[in-house]
């Protein structure tokens, strides 16, 4: 079997509500989903979800090769683009092609990827992650009620702009999940998306920990700041999670060497081989690993085969336009199907005729770091009223407490 070419598509996922984090919000709730299709002379096409902007630069490393030699081809792609290979869309393109190769390998074997990789249990524990910073209390409760109805009892909220607002939103979701779990205490996490300084992180989290039990705080400071992440970890009770934006094992090594992270994360967009190697590195340090991503199906398969998987991020219960996944969510877990490969079906015609919304401005959204991130004296929100508003930062309505009384009306 030989690789004969590749094609690229871009579809989208409509969340039906605003989504974002401390860095910014997409008010229309539309997120792009790039797709790579790798063709072979055996008539098998592999599907990879992830960037494809660097396809012309990376694909020559695998063109004409046997796609089943996935590990070796992954390293060939890294060598092909070694000057810029460990960053951004180049690393993402490598990851998308790598995922497509794993899909081909499993399809050729007639097995679902989870079984080919050595997984035994098709159930992958999940936690809810709503990219929810722009939601008012009613919408927030509604979103997490839906997660709860699928059995999820763990939730990661976006925050980091205002201590009191974070406290109330976490308490609200705790109440929703506790009620659904008939009194079972849920796991709560807070994702700050690299928005604090070290001192801000410790002050903010310690304030929250007076009334809340946080399982982990995610990316409290910059992703590469091993010393800072370690300092935050020493100053709080919660675990520190990071790694989704790290691209290559060499970027994890200083964090692990300094004991800077307690939960090692890897993003689905970087591919299956990257995740397997990160998981092995984390396991060597007795640390759990957790996949991150909007459509993490490839890493869900891989998670079944590693000994240190903790839980995988479940962002949305909807599927992108033109894509269908052979999995379901029940009992607080992803349940993978028996389709050969990843279990991803691509309807190219549906994608071609879909009406695509206009993309957001390049300066907007959660992928753009605000000018004042990490150097604000005042909260972006002061009990629902913006203290200082900058482009790309969400302005939320006045928060309601669990008893329905606005902060401003409380004695």
């Amino acid at each position: 079997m030989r690789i004969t070419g590749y094609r690229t598509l871009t579809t989208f996922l409509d969340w039906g509500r605003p989504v974002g984090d401390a860095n910014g919000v997409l008010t229309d709730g539309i997120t792009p989903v790039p797709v790579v299709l790798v063709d072979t002379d055996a008539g098998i096409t592999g599907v990879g979800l992830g960037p494809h902007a660097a396809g012309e630069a990376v694909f020559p490393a695998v063109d004409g090769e046997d796609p089943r030699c996935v590990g070796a081809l992954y390293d060939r792609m890294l060598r092909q683009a070694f000057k810029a290979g460990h960053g951004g869309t180049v690393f993402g393109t490598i990851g998308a092609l790598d995922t497509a190769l794993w899909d081909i390998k499993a399809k050729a074997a007639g097995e679902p990827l989870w079984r080919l990789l050595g997984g035994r249990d098709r159930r992958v524990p999940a936690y809810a992650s709503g990219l929810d910073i722009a939601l008012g209390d009613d919408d927030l409760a509604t979103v997490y009620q839906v997660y709860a109805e699928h059995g999820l009892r763990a939730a990661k909220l976006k925050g980091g702009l205002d201590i009191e607002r974070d406290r109330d939103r976490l308490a609200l979701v705790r109440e929703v999940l506790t009620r659904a779990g008939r009194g079972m205490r849920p796991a709560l996490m807070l994702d700050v998306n690299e928005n604090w300084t070290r001192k801000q992180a410790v002050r903010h989290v310690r304030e929250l920990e007076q009334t809340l039990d946080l399982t982990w705080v995610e990316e409290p400071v910059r992703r590469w700041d091993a010393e800072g992440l370690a300092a935050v970890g020493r100053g709080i009770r919660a675990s520190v999670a990071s790694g989704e934006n790290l691209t290559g094992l060499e970027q994890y090594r200083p964090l692990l060497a300094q004991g800077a992270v307690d939960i090692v994360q890897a993003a689905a967009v970087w591919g299956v081989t990257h995740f397997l190697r990160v998981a092995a590195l984390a396991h060597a340090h007795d640390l759990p690993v957790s996949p991150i991503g909007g459509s993490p199906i490839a890493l869900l398969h891989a998670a079944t085969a590693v000994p240190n998987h903790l839980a995988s991020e479940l962002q949305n219960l909807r599927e992108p336009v033109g894509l269908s996944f052979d999995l379901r969510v029940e009992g607080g877990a992803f349940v993978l199907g028996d389709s050969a490969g990843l279990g991803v079906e691509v309807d190219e015609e549906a994608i071609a005729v879909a009406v695509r919304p206009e993309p957001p401005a390049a300066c907007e959204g959660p992928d753009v770091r605000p000018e004042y991130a990490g150097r604000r004296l005042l909260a972006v929100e002061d009990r629902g009223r913006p203290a200082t508003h900058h482009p790309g930062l969400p302005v939320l309505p006045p928060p309601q407490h669990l008893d329905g009384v606005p902060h401003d009306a409380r004695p």
Side-chain angles (χ1 to χ4, degrees):
M1 186 190 308
R2 298 292 168 183
I3 297 169
T4 58
Y6 78 101
R7 294 168 287 136
T8 62
L9 304 167
T10 298
T11 184
F12 61 91
L13 175 64
D14 184 355
W15 289 67
R17 58 177 176 83
V19 292
D21 57 35
N23 297 306
V25 170
L26 297 173
T27 57
D28 63 0
I30 304 295
T31 53
V33 180
V35 181
V36 173
L37 303 174
V38 176
D39 297 318
T40 68
D41 60 6
I44 299 174
T45 296
V47 181
L49 304 181
H52 43 63
E56 291 186 8
V58 174
F59 182 74
V62 301
D63 191 14
E65 296 287 331
D66 187 329
R68 294 166 293 186
C69 306
V70 185
L73 295 184
Y74 180 80
D75 290 325
R76 280 179 65 90
M77 289 189 285
L78 288 180
R79 292 195 301 272
Q80 178 80 14
F82 85 103
K83 289 287 187 180
H86 280 198
T89 56
V90 176
F91 196 71
T93 300
I94 291 172
L97 289 168
D98 171 74
T99 298
L101 298 185
W102 278 108
D103 189 33
I104 293 170
K105 186 179 178 76
K107 285 176 176 175
E111 296 276 13
L113 181 58
W114 63 267
R115 186 174 290 129
L116 180 76
L117 289 172
R120 178 174 176 270
D121 188 351
R122 71 180 70 216
R123 296 177 61 86
V124 182
Y127 68 86
S129 177
L131 280 67
D132 45 48
I133 200 166
L135 300 183
D137 284 4
D138 289 346
D139 288 338
L140 185 69
T142 298
V143 165
Y144 280 91
Q145 180 62 38
V146 174
Y147 289 129
E149 290 169 359
H150 285 80
L152 277 81
R153 300 294 181 262
K156 183 177 78 181
L157 275 67
K158 298 293 188 179
L161 298 179
D162 180 83
I163 294 175
E164 294 186 22
R165 179 65 178 152
D166 287 347
R167 180 194 295 118
D168 288 346
R169 297 175 79 249
L170 286 160
L172 188 154
V173 171
R174 178 181 61 187
E175 178 67 20
V176 170
L177 297 183
T178 299
R179 186 166 55 246
R182 299 182 179 181
M184 178 188 299
R185 187 174 73 175
L188 295 175
M189 294 82 84
L190 181 67
D191 189 357
V192 186
N193 295 101
E194 307 182 57
N195 203 52
W196 290 331
T197 66
R198 303 174 189 183
K199 289 290 189 179
Q200 286 175 332
V202 173
R203 186 176 73 250
H204 197 125
V205 176
R206 290 182 68 171
E207 177 72 17
L208 294 175
E209 288 181 330
Q210 291 183 26
T211 55
L212 293 163
D213 180 22
L214 293 177
T215 300
W216 77 60
V217 176
E218 188 167 322
E219 291 189 329
V221 296
R222 299 311 302 270
R223 70 194 74 164
W224 52 75
D225 185 4
E227 183 179 318
L229 289 166
V232 173
R234 290 190 296 268
I236 64 176
R237 296 199 310 268
S239 295
V240 172
S242 191
E244 66 173 292
N245 290 307
L246 301 181
T247 51
L249 297 186
E250 72 285 350
Q251 297 181 20
Y252 286 85
R253 278 167 26 202
L255 275 64
L256 298 180
Q258 293 200 37
V261 292
D262 306 294
I263 312 294
V264 179
Q265 297 174 316
V269 71
W270 308 135
V272 173
T273 301
H274 172 76
F275 172 77
L276 293 173
R277 293 179 180 183
V278 169
L281 180 63
H283 187 51
H285 287 78
D286 294 318
L287 294 173
V289 67
S290 178
I292 298 290
S295 300
I297 186 167
L299 297 199
L300 301 179
H301 284 268
T304 67
V306 300
N308 53 334
H309 173 258
L310 178 63
S312 293
E313 183 177 40
L314 168 59
Q315 291 187 1
N316 204 307
L317 293 161
R318 303 184 181 191
E319 294 177 334
V321 172
L323 300 183
S324 61
F325 303 144
D326 185 13
L327 63 78
R328 63 186 188 276
V329 179
E330 64 180 28
F334 296 96
V335 183
L336 295 165
D338 285 316
S339 297
L342 294 177
V344 177
E345 294 292 332
V346 181
D347 186 338
E348 296 186 50
E349 182 177 346
I351 294 173
V353 301
V355 177
R356 294 173 175 81
E358 289 296 320
C363 61
E364 297 178 352
D367 292 333
V368 180
R369 183 170 172 83
E371 180 182 357
Y372 293 95
R375 53 187 181 95
R376 301 184 182 97
L377 287 177
L378 301 176
V380 174
E381 293 178 335
D382 181 15
R383 300 183 180 183
R385 295 186 302 271
T388 304
H389 183 62
H390 303 287
L393 295 180
V395 179
L396 307 187
Q400 302 285 318
H401 200 267
L402 289 177
D403 58 10
V405 180
H407 279 286
D408 290 348
R410 302 178 72 80

